[in-house]
Amino acid sequence: MISQPSRHCTVELDALPSRIGQVRRIVSAQLRYWHLDPLIDRAALGVTELLTNVHLHARPDKLCTVEIELLLDQLTVSVHDRDPRLPEVRDATSSATCGRGLSMVAAVSESWGVRPNGESGKVVWFTLAAPSPSPTAAPLTCPPYAAVADAPACGFAEVEHAAGVLQGGHAPARSAVAG
């Protein structure tokens, strides 16, 4: 059996409300680029909930990294932040206006979890079953987001993961586009 290489893309940002919408659009564009359109709604909902949790709860700051990786027939979306406190699933009442985020992630995903990331943070992740890659699948890199109509023209740093070494750099997310 020939093993398929993974497809991997990373975005670093401050989890502010305006950035959450941008990352949702970037994840959607990346999945379209990988021809995984059926996963867009669930992946966008999951990443929105995880980033909202960083925005609402993470300390000392809101800096985080979103990673999406496709390996064979599994898409993994993870959010790394610098707060070592692990999240808890809450039992939200029917009238509660918050507290359902992780329950929604669990409902739309195949699996999900959280793990400490050393002493300086954690990673919350979820997986979605993906169709098998086709021989004409897209390249292994992030798409040129400046060419995507609803993605920001600049400001996010696309970082490619190759042989365990991160290449590229961090650029602060900037945009005048809300949501």
Side-chain angles (χ1 to χ4, degrees), residues 87-112:
E88 297 177 18
V89 178
R90 296 183 189 167
D91 290 327
T93 65
S94 61
S95 62
T97 58
C98 61
R100 293 182 182 84
L102 291 176
S103 296
M104 288 195 306
V105 169
V108 301
S109 65
E110 302 295 319
S111 61
W112 76 277

Side-chain angles (χ1 to χ4, degrees), residues 27-47:
V27 167
S28 297
Q30 182 68 56
L31 294 181
R32 273 196 246 23
Y33 188 72
W34 287 343
H35 307 288
L36 296 173
D37 297 48
L39 303 182
I40 291 173
D41 289 341
R42 293 185 296 147
L45 174 64
V47 77

Side-chain angles (χ1 to χ4, degrees), residues 42-127:
R42 293 185 296 147
L45 174 64
V47 77
T48 298
E49 292 304 323
L50 296 184
L51 289 173
T52 299
N53 281 350
V54 173
H55 173 70
L56 294 175
H57 305 293
R59 294 185 187 111
D61 56 40
K62 307 305 179 189
L63 185 64
C64 65
T65 303
V66 175
E67 290 184 270
I68 52 176
E69 182 176 31
L70 177 64
L71 183 58
L72 297 176
D73 60 351
Q74 180 173 289
L75 180 75
T76 302
V77 178
S78 58
V79 174
H80 307 242
D81 68 40
R82 300 184 340 171
D83 188 341
R85 297 174 302 148
L86 301 181
E88 297 177 18
V89 178
R90 296 183 189 167
D91 290 327
T93 65
S94 61
S95 62
T97 58
C98 61
R100 293 182 182 84
L102 291 176
S103 296
M104 288 195 306
V105 169
V108 301
S109 65
E110 302 295 319
S111 61
W112 76 277
V114 60
R115 68 179 181 273
N117 190 17
E119 294 180 17
S120 63
K122 66 181 167 298
V123 178
V124 183
W125 55 269
F126 65 91
T127 63

